[in-house]
Amino acid sequence: MTDLISNCSKLGFGMMRLPRLEDGNTIDVEQTKEMVDRFIKAGGKYFDTAFIYDGSEEATGKALCSRYSRDSYYLATKLNASAFCCKSREEALKEIEISLQRTGAEYFDFYLLHALDHTNMGRYEEFGLWDFVKELKERGLIRHYGFSFHDTADVLEEIISKHPDAEFVQLQINYNDWEDEGIQSRKIAEVANKHGLPIIVMEPVKGGLLASPPQQVRDIFSKIDPDASPASWAIRFAASVEGVMVVLSGMSNMEQMNDNMSYMEDFKPLNAIEKSAIEEVIDILSKLKGIPCTGCSYCTAGCPMEIAIPDIFTIMNMYRINNDLPKAISEYQDRMMEAPASSCVECGQCESACPQHLSIIELLKEAAATLEK
Ligand code: SF4
Ligand code: SF4
């Protein structure tokens, strides 16, 4: 496998869930700067943003690119050509210019075709985007190109066979999805390894789900190491997978950053006892059936009813995973009644944007029936 990075921690800083100011929307750039400094001081170099992460490229420009020399870090961003993001080929081609302008980065070390799956991969072909990224590399605007991916191992095999020149792949790998039939973390990692493609891991804690697992899972972990956080188990699991170059963690505050660095500064793969604890946990979680939403929010931008879909699913998981219906109802009624699940008009926009392929409309109906009592 080619080494695309050197002298770099295996932990990457995912810039999708940056800290927010009190209004809940604006990125807290000052806190982001402190986190960037802490990350770099501890040996971190890899930063991951995307054209469609609201405000993230601009904040990355302010907190990182304008403050550090360009050769001291690796920066990844993504071109998204899905219908919910751009209307035409011209719009897709323009994204790199806008990304460069927002970050002030001069070039990107890693440039990804974003969130490929069987529903949108044809559009990336039709727009000639594989040739386009090759051209960007020749022009020196990017160093390496690859893609992020949300589908089954067969689809991954198909894309790599068509584009053997891809230099790396970004995959959703976490212990909860390891044997999941839809996400297929184990199988997609095996496909990448077969083709010798370095793996960048996204969603190692599944949008935060594995950072606060149910009590029975916590009990298993704390019997082995009472001081280790649940997130540390999830991130170390992902970083222990063969072929993994970087694990992205979408850190939102300094506490998460300090926790992540405490075990990734001097990373040790899971040992045999820890691996068998994870197997036990996978078995428990497979029976609990939480909604596998990662909180990416791609679904919310075009919702005509402004429904906070991921927040509703988080609350539903209080009921589905922790079996705490009174708490779920009270949380829902406090926070969600301005745009409740029952206000969904079933336009389907959210479902076409969801990389997890969730049946959002049906899940919202379930939420309305369960929580709007
Ligand atoms: S289907 Fe419902 S939740 Fe989805 S975008 Fe349309 S109104 Fe919003
Ligand atoms: S429902 Fe899908 S698109 Fe929306 S936040 Fe969850 S995973 Fe992301």
Side-chain angles (χ1 to χ4, degrees):
M1 189 177 301
T2 335
D3 278 336
L4 302 181
I5 56 174
S6 59
N7 301 323
C8 176
S9 160
K10 222 173 183 179
L11 184 73
F13 191 165
M15 312 291 275
M16 182 165 94
R17 299 180 172 94
L18 292 173
R20 306 277 153 172
L21 294 173
E22 269 176 23
D23 65 12
N25 281 325
T26 318
I27 292 175
D28 182 343
V29 174
E30 291 313 307
Q31 201 186 146
T32 304
K33 283 181 186 169
E34 284 170 28
M35 290 169 70
V36 165
D37 294 347
R38 166 81 178 95
F39 182 69
I40 287 183
K41 204 166 160 210
K45 274 188 177 180
Y46 192 100
F47 295 83
D48 172 87
T49 180
F51 178 80
I52 62 164
Y53 298 167
D54 192 20
S56 169
E57 288 186 326
E58 291 88 339
T60 304
K62 288 179 194 152
L64 174 71
C65 308
S66 67
R67 301 172 64 240
Y68 284 89
S69 70
R70 186 60 191 88
D71 56 0
S72 65
Y73 60 87
Y74 298 108
L75 181 58
T77 196
K78 313 183 188 79
L79 182 164
N80 197 312
S82 296
F84 77 92
C85 181
C86 66
K87 290 186 198 69
S88 63
R89 176 172 191 270
E90 287 61 43
E91 278 189 20
L93 301 191
K94 272 219 157 13
E95 289 183 23
I96 178 91
E97 283 169 38
I98 299 170
S99 295
L100 284 168
Q101 212 171 38
R102 286 172 177 170
T103 56
E106 298 164 41
Y107 63 88
F108 294 106
D109 302 276
F110 295 85
Y111 199 57
L112 292 85
L113 298 179
H114 197 173
L116 266 59
D117 63 22
H118 71 280
T119 67
N120 65 18
M121 59 198 241
R123 196 167 158 97
Y124 285 83
E125 302 288 343
E126 190 191 316
F127 286 179
L129 296 175
W130 287 95
D131 288 336
F132 178 62
V133 290
K134 234 176 270 174
E135 189 194 311
L136 292 178
K137 185 173 173 174
E138 282 159 18
R139 288 167 56 199
L141 294 176
I142 63 171
R143 294 277 150 94
H144 304 289
Y145 60 84
F147 59 103
S148 62
F149 177 79
H150 292 276
D151 213 319
T152 60
D154 289 347
V155 178
L156 181 60
E157 185 72 57
E158 190 184 335
I159 296 176
I160 299 175
S161 306
K162 253 191 203 157
H163 300 287
D165 50 317
E167 296 171 89
F168 63 92
V169 64
Q170 186 160 309
L171 301 176
Q172 178 166 328
I173 293 180
N174 59 64
Y175 65 73
N176 187 69
D177 294 331
W178 192 239
E179 296 296 347
D180 180 89
E181 282 178 24
I183 311 288
Q184 302 188 351
S185 285
R186 178 179 59 76
K187 290 184 182 164
I188 55 178
E190 285 169 2
V191 170
N193 284 331
K194 186 177 99 184
H195 290 275
L197 277 186
I199 300 170
I200 297 161
V201 173
M202 59 184 157
E203 305 294 359
V205 289
K206 206 166 168 62
L209 222 63
L210 305 182
S212 49
Q215 193 57 45
Q216 60 218 97
V217 169
R218 288 169 183 269
D219 291 345
I220 291 169
F221 288 154
S222 53
K223 246 190 248 160
I224 294 170
D225 184 349
D227 298 325
S229 65
S232 75
W233 284 85
I235 290 179
R236 286 182 58 231
F237 171 85
S240 303
V241 170
E242 189 190 340
V244 166
M245 178 171 85
V246 170
V247 176
L248 299 174
S249 176
M251 295 170 270
S252 302
N253 54 50
M254 194 57 94
E255 195 187 338
Q256 290 170 0
M257 167 76 67
N258 286 334
D259 179 63
N260 282 189
M261 296 320 294
S262 69
Y263 43 86
M264 290 305 287
E265 211 168 330
D266 179 22
F267 166 65
K268 289 190 181 54
L270 295 178
N271 61 32
I273 295 172
E274 290 168 332
K275 279 184 188 160
S276 84
I278 291 269
E279 275 167 29
E280 209 182 320
V281 164
I282 291 174
D283 191 45
I284 292 172
L285 290 178
S286 69
K287 291 172 187 141
L288 292 177
K289 305 245 175 284
I291 298 174
C293 167
T294 62
C296 67
S297 291
Y298 296 170
C299 54
T300 54
C303 174
M305 307 311 290
E306 300 186 359
I307 299 171
I309 300 162
D311 293 347
I312 291 176
F313 291 168
T314 302
I315 294 172
M316 269 303 278
N317 280 342
M318 285 177 190
Y319 164 60
R320 280 189 174 209
I321 297 179
N322 296 328
N323 206 17
D324 195 344
L325 186 58
K327 187 172 173 202
I329 290 178
S330 124
E331 182 92 1
Y332 183 86
Q333 306 217 340
D334 279 354
R335 293 173 47 206
M336 296 300 150
M337 293 319 278
E338 266 185 36
S342 57
S343 62
C344 171
V345 294
E346 303 187 22
C347 66
Q349 185 287 141
C350 53
E351 294 193 355
S352 61
C354 177
Q356 306 298 321
H357 311 298
L358 297 183
S359 303
I360 296 175
I361 296 171
E362 283 311 307
L363 288 165
L364 288 177
K365 282 185 191 164
E366 181 195 325
T370 312
L371 304 171
E372 292 177 26
K373 292 182 172 171

